[in-house]
Amino acid sequence: MAGLAVALPLLAFGTAIPAVSQTLSQGARPATSSAEEIARFCGNIADAARDRRYQLQKMELEKLQADIDERIEKLEAKRAEYEVWLTRRNRFMQQAQEAVVGIYANMRPDAAASQLGELRAETAAAILMSLDTRKASVILNEMQVETAASLTGIMVNAARKKDPS
């Protein structure tokens, strides 16, 4: 039994079976009672082994959860950074639009018509829509008929609540 007692602690490290078989080969016990003891021993440590596996799995899951939490923090920081950037960009765009509209509002109608006629149609229509209606109508009056009609069509389509297409 003393040889078996030495072999039992070794089972936790995965080397108990060779130690038990070495003890058995020395003739300490008959083979049938040793087999029964081995079976009993394995049955007794099955719960401990299962608990250790669960503990290792739990530690791995906790490590993965910490990694996920860290990544979420980084993503949230990036999102906050992008929100700040987007707010600054929108503020700049609003100021730029107000400045451009102010420039066209203060121009002579014939000069504004000439300038808007050279811009992309969508841009010119957006500027005209931002102007005071009296100023926009005077500018449209100074434009060529085709250009004024095209810009008016764009403005009407932009004012529709539902997309016709």
Side-chain angles (χ1 to χ4, degrees):
M1 186 72 168
L4 189 57
V6 171
L8 291 180
L10 295 175
L11 183 61
F13 298 103
T15 58
I17 301 302
V20 169
S21 60
Q22 181 183 18
T23 304
L24 291 176
S25 66
Q26 294 172 356
R29 294 242 184 225
T32 58
S33 70
S34 293
E36 290 172 7
E37 284 184 38
I38 290 171
R40 242 180 309 143
F41 175 75
C42 290
N44 289 340
I45 66 161
D47 289 337
R50 184 175 40 249
D51 290 344
R52 180 65 180 152
R53 275 194 312 274
Y54 290 156
Q55 186 180 26
L56 290 173
Q57 289 173 348
K58 181 182 175 190
M59 289 176 7
E60 181 67 22
L61 288 173
E62 288 171 350
K63 179 183 170 192
L64 291 172
Q65 183 64 44
D67 185 42
I68 289 171
D69 291 342
E70 180 182 333
R71 289 181 183 192
I72 288 173
E73 279 183 32
K74 287 179 181 178
L75 284 173
E76 287 296 323
K78 279 288 184 194
R79 185 184 59 77
E81 181 182 331
Y82 287 140
E83 283 180 356
V84 167
W85 180 84
L86 184 62
T87 302
R88 286 180 34 209
R89 180 188 173 278
N90 287 341
R91 193 175 325 124
F92 172 77
M93 294 299 290
Q94 181 66 30
Q95 289 172 349
Q97 182 179 359
E98 289 171 4
V100 169
V101 169
I103 290 169
Y104 280 98
N106 292 323
M107 289 177 78
R108 289 188 339 261
D110 60 332
S114 173
Q115 293 289 323
L116 289 173
E118 297 297 319
L119 291 177
R120 274 190 19 228
E122 294 84 12
T123 305
I127 291 170
L128 285 170
M129 288 174 62
S130 299
L131 289 172
D132 177 59
T133 55
R134 283 185 191 229
K135 185 71 172 182
S137 64
V138 172
I139 291 173
L140 280 171
N141 191 41
E142 293 289 328
M143 288 184 167
Q144 293 179 358
V145 175
E146 298 84 19
T147 305
S150 172
L151 292 176
T152 303
I154 292 171
M155 291 188 293
V156 167
N157 285 333
R160 285 187 184 162
K161 294 182 191 268
K162 184 178 175 185
D163 187 15
S165 56

